[in-house]
Amino acid sequence: MIRFPYTLQRWNSATEEWQTVSRCNARYDGKARFIESPNGKAIEYTYEVIMPANVRPIEENEEVRILDRHGKNIFDRRPDTPVGSTLEDSVSYPVQGYFKSGQRYEYTKLWL
């Protein structure tokens, strides 16, 4: 079993390209769920993303996508769809919440 089988990328509006952030694991929840963020705000999410503890924070509302080991976007389940190189031709989700505990061995979490 691979702990972090996917690659998380975020859209960099300054360079107009996708930037690799980290390896990750993503759990899809078919029903939108609500959690309370560390700042007390209620977050409605569809994906929970788990990353290593050393990942830098990602701002809320940043667009992210997740690629599998074959380079396919996991959010786009259409067969033989090329991975887009721009924000407009890629299926992505905005970040709804981010949690980094500060503990050395705890995972970083992201909700989409």
Side-chain angles (χ1 to χ4, degrees):
M1 182 170 135
I2 299 172
R3 180 182 276 172
F4 301 116
Y6 304 125
T7 302
L8 177 75
Q9 294 185 329
R10 69 182 184 116
W11 180 250
N12 186 334
S13 56
T15 61
E16 295 288 318
E17 62 186 12
W18 289 100
Q19 176 184 20
T20 297
V21 175
S22 172
R23 301 293 297 167
C24 70
N25 197 350
R27 277 185 259 170
Y28 173 74
D29 191 343
K31 300 176 271 181
R33 300 267 184 188
F34 288 93
I35 62 160
E36 186 174 326
S37 72
N39 64 5
K41 181 177 107 177
I43 297 173
E44 180 181 8
Y45 71 96
T46 305
Y47 282 91
E48 179 179 51
V49 181
I50 311 232
M51 300 172 288
N54 61 348
V55 176
R56 294 180 186 241
I58 298 174
E59 299 294 322
E60 287 185 16
N61 298 319
E62 275 193 63
E63 291 290 326
V64 297
R65 70 180 183 183
I66 299 175
L67 305 179
D68 67 11
R69 64 187 175 110
H70 301 292
K72 300 292 279 178
N73 188 338
I74 70 166
F75 302 145
D76 189 359
R77 296 294 182 190
R78 295 175 292 170
D80 300 323
T81 304
V83 175
S85 60
T86 66
L87 182 60
E88 289 75 28
D89 64 5
S90 295
V91 179
S92 62
Y93 277 85
V95 174
Q96 300 297 319
Y98 183 88
F99 175 73
K100 185 174 181 103
S101 73
Q103 298 297 316
R104 183 175 181 172
Y105 296 108
E106 272 191 42
Y107 295 128
T108 300
K109 289 187 180 183
L110 188 68
W111 294 278
L112 310 176

